[in-house]
Amino acid sequence: MNFRQRLRQAIDSLYAGGQATAEAYTPLVLECVRVNDVGQAKRLQSHMDLHYFIPNDTFLHNRLLHMYARLGKISDARNLFDRMPQRDIISWNTILSVYAKSGSVENLRELFYKMPFRDSVSYNTLIAGLAGSGFSSQALEVFLRMNREGFEPTEYTHVSLLNACSRLLDLRKGKQIHGRICVGFLGRNVFVWNALTDMYAKCGEIDKARWLFDRTDNKNVVSWNSLIAGYLKNGQPKKCIDLFQEMQLGGFKPDDVTVSNVLGAYFQSGLVDEAIEVFNLIKNKDKVSWTTMIVGYVQNGKEEDALNLFAKMLAEGVKPDSFTISSVISSCAKLAYLCNGQVVHGKAILLGVDNDLLVSSALVDMYCKCGITKDAWIVFDMMPSRNVVSWNAMIRGYAQNGQDLEALALYEKLLQQKLKPDSITFVAVLSSCNHAGLIEEGRIYFDSISKRHALVPTLDHYACMINLLGRSGCMTEAIDLVNNMPHEPNSLIWSTLLSVCAIKGDTENGEMAAKRLFELEPLNAGPYIMLSNMYATCGRWEDVASVRSLMKSKNVKKFAAYSWIEIDNEVHKFVAEDATHPQTEIIYEELGRLIKKLQEAGFMPDTKLVLHNKLALAYGLIKKPHATAPIRIMKNIRVCGDCHMFMKLVSKVIGRPIILRDSNRFHHFVGGSCSCKDYW
């Protein structure tokens, strides 16, 4: 017979015998506490109530109360506490600790202020509960009151306070707490040293954190994690990796927190293969490690790997959270994988995280980047709460899809909601003005960045204005803006100017912009090709040959261009003159039929070069010949004039909408017209 069975028999005998004394209850209560038997403890409590037993002191009830608290039985603890005939400071502090550990902040505060008497434990418990639940400022305020009332903090109080300072990034208060620790000679406790290291690291004083770490006695895994995370947060991934290796050499076993930070450091350094090696060594992969890998893949441009890993995560039975889901949705957005995005949207609904702010904002962005602004608006409109990121996703989505007036109208609604726009908002707003040719409105919005919203215009904002001014025929004003801007012009500024010059035939300023780009990005083929095309347009063939010779001497390679189309959840990629697809022969036959249709309708498309997006279009028509839904094509560079005209003509002749996403924006081709209004 085991201990629990004997305990049950003893309490059965108690019930059979009727009334009992404190001497009979005491060993049974202590045995319940020893074996953590809540059920028998509640039977004892019921027996006491049944026979109106009133103990002479709080010992028995406090022991039961402490057991309920330790085992997280909040309702049982509160029920006993409320029915206790007498309570002492231990009773109050015990129930206080229940609320502190469970994060029930409102109950914690209410109970604290109802206490007829308090001691240092009461204050320490309240401070720990507030700090642990994210109420950092309130924890520091309670500490000040504790001091005024003459109670002494413990080492663990200082740990809670330092954690509060870390969350607030309040270095000044953190240093004050550090000073108190030094004065009180409380600094040899490893938990205190860990909290100090963490505080300095999170507040940006990583060298001070390292100094403390090196002098910490009896380091534990938390000590190492504090500094490893600190190096990662302060943008020093190499030191993070070095410390991880030092930790292993020291005989310490990394935990999930260590691995998550080290994976982040490898990804931050672009060492994807090394991150994979670490990840594969983890025996019991948890949600954090899976999510870190998925996010790392996304950050390093490996969106397809992120999607594949997400599928494996689900197959392993690991439940993703809102952060995981939002990262996967972002992968679908970057790849414009609508079908995959819709599947993940469904998964978010099943998990109950579809209304999460992070997930909803990612969904808005995904649908916009797949060219489906109607679905994006449905998600946006149903969001229970929105922040500037959500608004930016929808405004930018409208702008990228040629719905410029809708983007500007939504921006005005954002202001009506008393939300503060950020730099990303204004990139979308100025882009909308640019595409719609609204030069005066663009000037007003640009001036409002600093004058109305107290923001500093970024290079992105200047690039938008240079584009707007140049395309509107105000080239002199655009050049003046480049010369007088407070920032040093970067490649974005010069490439924007070069693009405008190419459109306007301004060879002189185009040469200036191109030469600056040759200096800033000598191996980028784009400026060379653009300048060469400008020369060719003017018939300056010697200059064309000179630019090509320059490219050859510098070993400048053209960027590999390709297009892709998603058919039945499968992605098909094409390059120019592609002959690698298993259905190549059928695709070229379809393209030939398409060109013949255009010619019969009186159009003469350029058939010299079979470009990748034409092949993707032909394949889409083969696989979905009778569908009415738009054919959706993505490409990794900006669409050229010939391909743009080709898509317009096809949309008119076959009477089918085509959505083309290039590296700059969406082109919605319907009935021979494009949403970009021939702006590309």
Side-chain angles (χ1 to χ4, degrees):
M1 185 181 295
N2 61 32
F3 293 115
R4 286 178 176 265
Q5 289 172 329
R6 290 196 191 99
L7 177 61
R8 181 182 181 84
Q9 284 188 357
I11 295 175
D12 287 343
S13 299
L14 188 71
Y15 268 87
Q19 216 165 15
T21 63
E23 287 74 17
Y25 284 123
T26 299
L28 295 174
V29 167
L30 293 176
E31 185 63 11
C32 286
V33 171
R34 191 183 72 81
V35 299
N36 294 327
D37 196 328
V38 174
Q40 296 307 316
K42 290 168 76 171
R43 287 185 69 203
L44 268 180
Q45 189 181 328
S46 298
H47 191 274
M48 293 178 191
D49 293 340
L50 182 65
H51 295 284
Y52 302 102
F53 172 74
I54 299 177
N56 294 325
D57 54 32
T58 60
F59 175 78
L60 291 177
H61 282 148
N62 278 349
R63 295 302 296 169
L64 290 173
L65 191 64
H66 185 266
M67 181 187 70
Y68 292 147
R70 179 165 45 80
L71 298 176
K73 304 295 181 181
I74 300 174
S75 59
D76 293 330
R78 186 63 199 238
N79 179 56
L80 173 58
F81 178 80
D82 289 339
R83 296 166 67 179
M84 287 174 65
Q86 51 184 320
R87 309 182 188 110
D88 57 12
I89 190 65
I90 295 174
S91 314
W92 285 93
N93 285 341
T94 301
I95 197 67
L96 203 65
S97 70
V98 170
Y99 290 132
K101 290 175 182 176
S102 66
S104 304
V105 174
E106 287 304 316
N107 290 325
L108 174 67
R109 282 189 293 220
E110 181 184 359
L111 189 74
F112 179 83
Y113 291 112
K114 282 183 178 179
M115 292 177 71
F117 32 75
R118 305 183 187 96
D119 61 6
S120 60
V121 175
S122 314
Y123 273 101
N124 291 335
T125 304
L126 178 61
I127 290 169
L130 291 170
S133 298
F135 293 83
S136 303
S137 297
Q138 292 182 27
L140 293 170
E141 289 170 8
V142 172
F143 175 63
L144 294 176
R145 176 173 175 173
M146 179 181 184
N147 277 335
R148 287 196 299 269
E149 295 192 8
F151 292 107
E152 282 297 317
T154 66
E155 293 174 326
Y156 297 102
T157 312
H158 288 109
V159 170
S160 297
L161 294 169
L162 288 168
N163 290 339
C165 293
S166 297
R167 287 193 181 91
L168 295 170
L169 301 180
D170 193 332
L171 182 61
R172 185 179 65 84
K173 284 192 175 71
K175 286 183 173 180
Q176 290 174 353
I177 303 298
H178 190 179
R180 289 184 59 91
I181 292 169
C182 293
V183 170
F185 301 103
L186 299 171
R188 302 320 303 172
N189 184 308
V190 67
F191 297 105
V192 174
W193 279 72
N194 289 346
L196 282 167
T197 302
D198 183 63
M199 186 275 295
Y200 280 109
K202 285 180 178 172
C203 292
E205 292 207 1
I206 190 66
D207 292 336
K208 180 69 173 178
R210 180 70 200 228
W211 187 90
L212 286 161
F213 173 81
D214 287 339
R215 287 156 183 78
T216 302
D217 296 330
N218 302 315
K219 292 183 183 73
N220 56 22
V221 174
V222 176
S223 314
W224 292 90
N225 285 347
S226 297
L227 193 59
I228 286 172
Y231 278 133
L232 183 64
K233 178 177 169 47
N234 284 274
Q236 299 182 36
K238 186 179 184 305
K239 288 189 176 181
C240 176
I241 295 166
D242 291 343
L243 191 64
F244 170 62
Q245 293 169 347
E246 188 182 330
M247 174 186 183
Q248 290 176 302
L249 290 172
F252 289 90
K253 186 179 180 181
D255 62 9
D256 295 338
V257 176
T258 322
V259 171
S260 177
N261 283 313
V262 172
L263 286 174
Y266 278 125
F267 279 122
Q268 204 175 95
S269 304
L271 302 172
V272 178
D273 291 338
E274 288 80 354
I276 294 170
E277 286 180 18
V278 172
F279 180 73
N280 289 336
L281 290 173
I282 305 171
K283 291 183 179 178
N284 298 311
K285 299 176 179 68
D286 65 355
K287 178 171 59 183
V288 176
S289 56
W290 284 97
T291 301
T292 304
M293 283 297 294
I294 289 169
V295 172
Y297 276 141
V298 175
Q299 291 172 344
N300 282 269
K302 294 184 174 293
E303 289 82 10
E304 290 191 16
D305 289 331
L307 294 177
N308 291 333
L309 193 65
F310 178 65
K312 288 181 182 178
M313 177 183 181
L314 296 179
E316 292 286 333
V318 181
K319 184 179 178 182
D321 59 14
S322 58
F323 190 58
T324 322
I325 293 291
S326 65
S327 299
V328 175
I329 293 169
S330 295
S331 295
C332 297
K334 288 183 180 179
L335 296 169
Y337 285 4
L338 177 61
C339 293
N340 283 283
Q342 289 170 328
V343 170
V344 180
H345 187 177
K347 188 68 178 176
I349 293 171
L350 290 174
L351 292 169
V353 298
D354 54 309
N355 283 328
D356 178 88
L357 187 58
L358 203 62
V359 173
S360 296
S361 299
L363 283 168
V364 171
D365 184 57
M366 184 272 293
Y367 282 118
C368 285
K369 285 181 177 173
C370 290
I372 315 294
T373 53
K374 286 184 180 179
D375 288 353
W377 174 257
I378 291 171
V379 175
F380 180 80
D381 193 45
M382 292 178 66
M383 290 177 69
S385 63
R386 307 183 189 100
N387 59 10
V388 71
V389 175
S390 321
W391 286 86
N392 284 349
M394 196 68 234
I395 294 170
R396 184 175 60 241
Y398 275 143
Q400 290 175 335
N401 282 276
Q403 296 173 263
D404 307 309
L405 298 181
E406 288 89 340
L408 297 176
L410 194 60
Y411 168 70
E412 295 299 333
K413 284 185 179 179
L414 178 147
L415 297 182
Q416 292 169 13
Q417 296 290 323
K418 306 299 181 185
L419 284 171
K420 183 177 174 62
D422 61 14
S423 60
I424 296 173
T425 319
F426 282 107
V427 171
V429 169
L430 292 173
S431 296
S432 296
C433 293
N434 201 349
H435 300 146
L438 303 173
I439 186 167
E440 290 305 320
E441 289 84 349
R443 286 192 178 108
I444 292 169
Y445 285 129
F446 182 78
D447 290 340
S448 74
I449 295 173
S450 55
K451 293 179 180 177
R452 181 177 176 184
H453 301 288
L455 297 171
V456 178
T458 67
L459 287 164
D460 288 327
H461 302 141
Y462 279 98
C464 289
M465 280 307 295
I466 291 163
N467 211 344
L468 175 59
L469 292 168
R471 287 173 180 267
S472 301
C474 305
M475 186 61 77
T476 302
E477 191 177 345
I479 297 296
D480 288 343
L481 192 60
V482 173
N483 293 332
N484 298 317
M485 59 194 293
H487 309 282
E488 182 69 26
N490 64 356
S491 57
L492 172 65
I493 297 297
W494 293 118
S495 60
T496 301
L497 183 61
L498 177 58
S499 177
V500 172
C501 291
I503 292 168
K504 294 297 181 180
D506 188 340
T507 308
E508 181 182 348
N509 286 314
E511 287 175 329
M512 175 190 67
K515 287 174 182 176
R516 294 297 182 93
L517 286 166
F518 296 164
E519 295 170 3
L520 292 170
E521 298 180 341
L523 298 180
N524 182 1
Y528 297 92
I529 294 168
M530 197 171 290
L531 182 61
S532 175
N533 290 341
M534 288 178 69
Y535 286 147
T537 303
C538 302
R540 294 168 56 175
W541 302 111
E542 289 185 6
D543 291 325
V544 170
S546 176
V547 172
R548 290 180 178 174
S549 176
L550 182 63
M551 286 181 71
K552 189 174 181 180
S553 66
K554 291 186 176 182
N555 197 29
V556 177
K557 303 294 183 183
K558 292 179 70 174
F559 189 81
Y562 58 88
S563 295
W564 68 96
I565 186 169
E566 187 181 11
I567 303 289
D568 297 330
N569 289 335
E570 189 175 349
V571 177
H572 301 264
K573 289 186 178 180
F574 298 90
V575 298
E577 308 290 344
D578 200 338
T580 61
H581 196 279
Q583 293 180 271
T584 294
E585 188 176 340
I586 299 172
I587 292 170
Y588 276 88
E589 287 176 3
E590 178 64 26
L591 183 58
R593 281 194 293 271
L594 195 57
I595 291 171
K596 188 176 180 180
K597 277 187 180 181
L598 296 181
Q599 291 171 338
E600 289 172 352
F603 301 115
M604 297 301 295
D606 187 351
T607 58
K608 294 176 187 175
L609 184 62
V610 183
L611 293 174
H612 37 87
N613 40 282
K614 294 179 183 178
L615 294 173
L617 174 62
Y619 186 69
L621 289 171
I622 291 169
K623 301 302 288 186
K624 302 287 183 181
H626 305 299
T628 56
I631 298 171
R632 303 162 32 77
I633 301 167
M634 283 63 67
K635 62 184 300 177
N636 66 333
I637 61 171
R638 292 183 72 167
V639 63
C640 67
D642 172 61
C643 291
H644 190 270
M645 179 59 71
F646 185 84
M647 294 294 174
K648 281 174 63 177
L649 298 178
V650 171
S651 72
K652 184 173 184 178
V653 170
I654 68 172
R656 181 109 171 250
I658 301 168
I659 299 175
L660 173 66
R661 190 185 95 173
D662 67 11
S663 61
N664 187 51
R665 60 180 289 114
F666 274 91
H667 301 267
H668 294 256
F669 299 98
V670 180
S673 298
C674 179
S675 60
C676 77
K677 306 175 185 69
D678 291 345
Y679 178 110
W680 69 89

